[in-house]
């Protein structure tokens, strides 16, 4: 049984704080921290961006009277790090602070930590409890966990379709979703590390793949162009040099201005090759925006984590049939005149 002070409320607050770093901490996890004395929060912090202070250090820096820390409990939604990275180990700061109790939601899957942070705290005489709101913590940091445990980016498939199940035209760009859904889509772009499209979408729509209808960080632009169709097509906005752009291709002769080219081996599992290459390039999560053939590749290989489908009441007909919906845990919401279905893959 949890003792009185280990109320889920404090860990819920950690999760709320951690979420403030969404899209900004990649490839680090989102972490929040609160420090409690006599059932009152006396300081809180969160990891606000890659290379910036971690949540534990941020919270400790806000304690007005450090002499009180020996009477405090620290709550943090992820095991404190114990290695030197962009910032010093959080375990050292916690031990030096004099805190006697730490409550952790889940262990860190990162190999340099993986339980060692908890062991270090315990060896220093600190009472450590692990597992409070474990499932909620895993859901929050699902991108980080997938990146380290499965050695690939977390994959979100997104498309918009008409009521009769079509996504548009191969000849020209057709906007299906409402203005509300456009804003929602751009918020999704800011949350993921990269945004991936195929060559047909690049040639037909010439998208910018940036964040315009939302305030948030820009994703890495990623083009899957296995046959080099977009090679030397210099007018494509993807190659304007305004943000980092990766091109995945099996064409050894292809060249792309203002882009990093990643060579892919041909084979029967192109998505496995894509996600392996992106993992090696440090891309923690991707939003796959299209087109339908690319979505179908991911679905057929079973490499996806979430699917977000925007359905508009218009009827299109035509040749661009939307992919079949995968099975999984589903819920939906209204977005203007659209209905958005969220499908989460069941492990």
């Amino acid at each position: 049984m949890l003792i009185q002070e280990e109320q889920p409320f404090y860990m819920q607050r950690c999760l709320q704080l951690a979420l403030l770093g969404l899209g900004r901490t990649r490839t680090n996890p989102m972490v929040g921290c609160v420090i409690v004395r006599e059932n009152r929060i006396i300081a809180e912090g969160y990891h606000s961006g890659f290379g910036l202070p971690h949540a534990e250090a941020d919270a400790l820096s806000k304690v007005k009277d450090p002499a009180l820390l020996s009477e405090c409990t620290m709550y943090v939604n992820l095991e404190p790090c114990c290695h030197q990275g962009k910032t010093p180990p959080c375990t050292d700061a916690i031990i030096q602070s004099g805190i006697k109790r730490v409550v952790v939601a889940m262990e860190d899957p990162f190999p340099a930590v993986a339980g060692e942070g908890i062991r270090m705290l315990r060896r220093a005489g600190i009472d450590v409890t692990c597992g409070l709101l474990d499932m909620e913590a895993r859901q929050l940091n699902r991108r980080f966990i997938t990146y380290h445990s499965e050695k690939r980016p977390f994959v979100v498939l997104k498309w918009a379709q008409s009521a009769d199940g079509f996504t548009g035209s191969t000849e020209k760009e057709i906007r299906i979703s409402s203005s509300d859904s456009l804003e929602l889509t751009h918020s999704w772009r800011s949350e993921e590390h990269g945004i991936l499209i195929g060559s047909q979408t690049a040639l037909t729509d010439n998208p910018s793949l940036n964040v315009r209808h939302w305030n948030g960080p820009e994703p890495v632009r990623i083009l899957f162009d296995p046959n080099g169709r977009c090679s030397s097509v210099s007018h494509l906005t993807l190659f304007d040099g305004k943000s980092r752009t990766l091109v995945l291709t099996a064409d050894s002769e292809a060249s792309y201005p203002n882009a990093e080219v990643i060579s892919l081996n041909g084979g029967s599992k192109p998505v496995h090759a894509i996600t392996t290459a992106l993992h090696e390039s440090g891309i923690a999560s991707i939003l796959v925006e299209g087109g339908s053939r690319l979505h179908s590749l991911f679905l057929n290989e079973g490499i996806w984590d979430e699917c977000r489908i925007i359905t508009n009441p218009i009827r299109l007909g035509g040749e661009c049939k939307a992919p079949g919906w995968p099975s999984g845990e589903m819920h939906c919401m209204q977005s203007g005149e659209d209905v958005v279905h969220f499908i989460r893959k069941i492990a």
Side-chain angles (χ1 to χ4, degrees):
M1 177 181 294
L2 296 173
I3 67 172
Q4 182 179 3
E5 194 177 358
E6 287 177 16
Q7 303 269 350
F9 166 80
Y10 299 123
M11 193 61 74
Q12 288 169 348
R13 180 57 181 161
C14 289
L15 297 172
Q16 290 173 346
L17 291 165
L19 196 57
L20 297 174
L22 180 61
R24 303 180 187 277
T25 65
R26 54 204 186 201
T27 54
N28 282 350
M30 294 179 283
V31 184
C33 176
V34 299
I35 299 174
V36 179
R37 178 177 180 266
E38 296 180 351
N39 292 319
R40 290 184 58 204
I41 295 176
I42 66 168
E44 57 185 30
Y46 71 100
H47 184 36
S48 60
F50 183 77
L52 298 177
H54 287 188
E56 300 93 324
D58 187 32
L60 287 169
S61 72
K62 296 173 182 174
V63 176
K64 294 180 180 179
D65 185 358
L68 298 176
L69 285 169
S70 62
E71 305 170 13
C72 295
T73 296
M74 173 181 282
Y75 287 77
V76 60
N77 62 285
L78 187 71
E79 175 184 8
C81 67
C82 56
H83 65 290
Q84 177 69 48
K86 295 286 185 181
T87 60
C90 290
T91 49
D92 290 357
I94 295 169
I95 292 168
Q96 292 166 9
S97 74
I99 281 179
K100 300 302 182 185
R101 297 188 63 252
V102 176
V103 180
V104 177
M106 61 169 286
E107 288 190 6
D108 190 336
F110 184 53
V113 186
E116 184 57 26
I118 290 173
R119 288 189 288 271
M120 287 182 66
L121 295 178
R122 286 175 174 162
R123 286 197 293 266
I126 297 174
D127 177 18
V128 181
T129 300
C130 186
L132 183 64
L133 299 190
D134 174 88
M135 290 183 60
E136 292 86 345
R138 291 182 181 279
Q139 174 63 15
L140 175 77
N141 272 315
R142 57 197 184 278
R143 299 166 178 85
F144 178 75
I145 293 169
T146 299
Y147 179 74
H148 288 291
S149 63
E150 300 192 31
K151 309 301 181 187
R152 65 165 175 84
F154 186 86
V155 176
V156 180
L157 307 180
K158 170 264 169 183
W159 68 83
Q161 65 176 48
S162 61
D164 54 350
F166 291 89
T167 61
S169 167
T170 57
E171 301 300 325
K172 61 180 179 178
E173 179 183 7
I174 297 176
R175 178 169 292 169
I176 299 174
S177 53
S178 65
S179 58
D180 296 272
S181 296
L182 182 64
E183 183 176 289
L184 182 63
T185 297
H186 280 251
S187 74
W188 293 343
R189 287 183 177 184
S190 73
E191 293 171 1
E192 308 306 334
H193 198 169
I195 178 170
L196 173 67
I197 61 168
S199 55
Q200 185 62 55
T201 297
L203 293 170
T204 302
D205 298 349
N206 190 20
S208 300
L209 300 188
N210 57 11
V211 178
R212 301 185 301 280
H213 303 279
W214 192 258
N215 182 23
E218 299 285 354
V220 177
R221 303 181 294 190
I222 308 167
L223 171 64
F224 176 53
D225 188 26
N227 300 316
R229 295 176 65 201
C230 299
S231 176
S232 302
V233 185
S234 58
H235 74 274
L236 292 180
T237 307
L238 284 174
F239 306 138
D240 60 12
K242 292 184 178 180
S243 62
R244 185 185 179 195
T245 302
L246 307 180
V247 178
L248 304 159
T249 184
D251 185 347
S252 59
E253 309 248 333
S255 63
Y256 305 87
N258 301 313
E260 303 168 41
V261 179
I262 300 174
S263 297
L264 292 181
N265 295 323
S268 59
K269 295 185 176 180
V271 174
H272 180 268
I274 290 170
T275 54
T276 298
L278 292 178
H279 180 270
E280 292 173 353
S281 298
I283 303 299
S285 66
I286 54 172
L287 179 67
V288 184
E289 285 210 359
S292 294
R293 285 193 290 265
L294 185 59
H295 286 132
S296 295
L297 286 176
F298 276 84
L299 292 169
N300 290 340
E301 287 192 41
I303 300 179
W304 64 280
D305 299 286
E306 294 181 7
C307 192
R308 302 171 186 176
I309 305 165
I310 300 170
T311 302
N312 187 274
I314 65 169
R315 305 185 72 84
L316 278 180
E319 68 276 15
C320 290
K321 188 71 176 173
W325 290 20
S327 60
E329 181 182 315
M330 182 186 297
H331 70 277
C332 64
M333 61 171 277
Q334 195 75 31
S335 175
E337 62 183 359
D338 303 329
V339 177
V340 184
H341 288 84
F342 298 84
I343 305 174
R344 186 165 65 179
K345 188 177 183 181
I346 299 174

